[in-house]
């Protein structure tokens, strides 16, 4: 696999939280990040969804539930993972998107 993108994390704590996800969600996260390294952050539905203004949602579904990982891109083909959470309602909560947008402003 040829990688043309790189993935960075907003914080080491966030990276540890992702590695602590339940096993099926973690496996899905690792699978999608491998694809993102090759094809970029917008894999299309059902894998990713653009939320506007450069923010993307990685959609994880597994036996243990549903999680979302929010990310953006920076120049130089860098994907920045901003926030992750376990989804408990049909819609992505506005407060979770607000956290990701605030972090996106910090890194840009």
């Amino acid at each position: 696999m040829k990688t043309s993108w790189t993935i960075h994390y907003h914080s080491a704590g966030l990276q540890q939280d992702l590695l602590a996800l339940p096993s099926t969600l973690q496996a899905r996260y690792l699978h999608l990040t491998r694809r993102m390294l090759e094809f970029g952050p917008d894999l299309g539905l059902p894998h990713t969804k653009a939320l506007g203004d450069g923010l993307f949602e990685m959609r994880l579904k597994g036996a243990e539930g549903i999680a979302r990982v929010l990310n953006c891109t920076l120049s130089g083909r860098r994907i920045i993972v901003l926030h992750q959470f376990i989804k408990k309602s049909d819609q992505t909560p506005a407060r979770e998107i607000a956290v990701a947008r605030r972090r996106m402003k910090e890194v840009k």
Side-chain angles (χ1 to χ4, degrees):
M1 172 183 76
K2 178 183 159 266
T3 60
S4 58
W5 289 79
T6 58
I7 295 177
H8 305 271
Y9 295 87
H10 181 265
S11 69
L14 174 60
Q15 188 174 11
Q16 291 303 312
D17 290 345
L18 286 162
L19 295 174
L21 283 171
S23 61
T24 60
L25 295 173
Q26 185 184 83
R28 187 79 180 134
Y29 173 75
L30 295 172
H31 171 75
L32 291 178
T33 55
R34 281 193 295 272
R35 291 190 64 197
M36 290 169 74
L37 288 170
E38 188 173 354
F39 301 111
D42 192 2
L43 300 174
L45 288 171
H47 312 298
T48 62
K49 180 180 176 183
L51 299 179
D53 298 323
L55 188 63
F56 292 91
E57 172 183 73
M58 186 186 304
R59 303 160 62 91
L60 309 178
K61 190 172 186 178
E64 298 97 350
I66 297 172
R68 296 292 188 256
V69 179
L70 305 175
N71 62 75
C72 68
T73 60
L74 295 178
S75 63
R77 299 172 78 83
R78 291 179 292 160
I79 298 166
I80 309 297
V81 177
L82 301 167
H83 185 52
Q84 69 87 26
F85 61 95
I86 301 295
K87 193 168 174 204
K88 293 180 168 70
S89 63
D90 287 343
Q91 285 193 315
T92 298
R95 71 181 177 279
E96 304 291 359
I97 294 173
V99 168
R101 290 198 186 281
R102 187 180 72 248
R103 290 178 179 175
M104 185 167 67
K105 284 182 185 174
E106 289 174 15
V107 298
K108 288 193 173 195

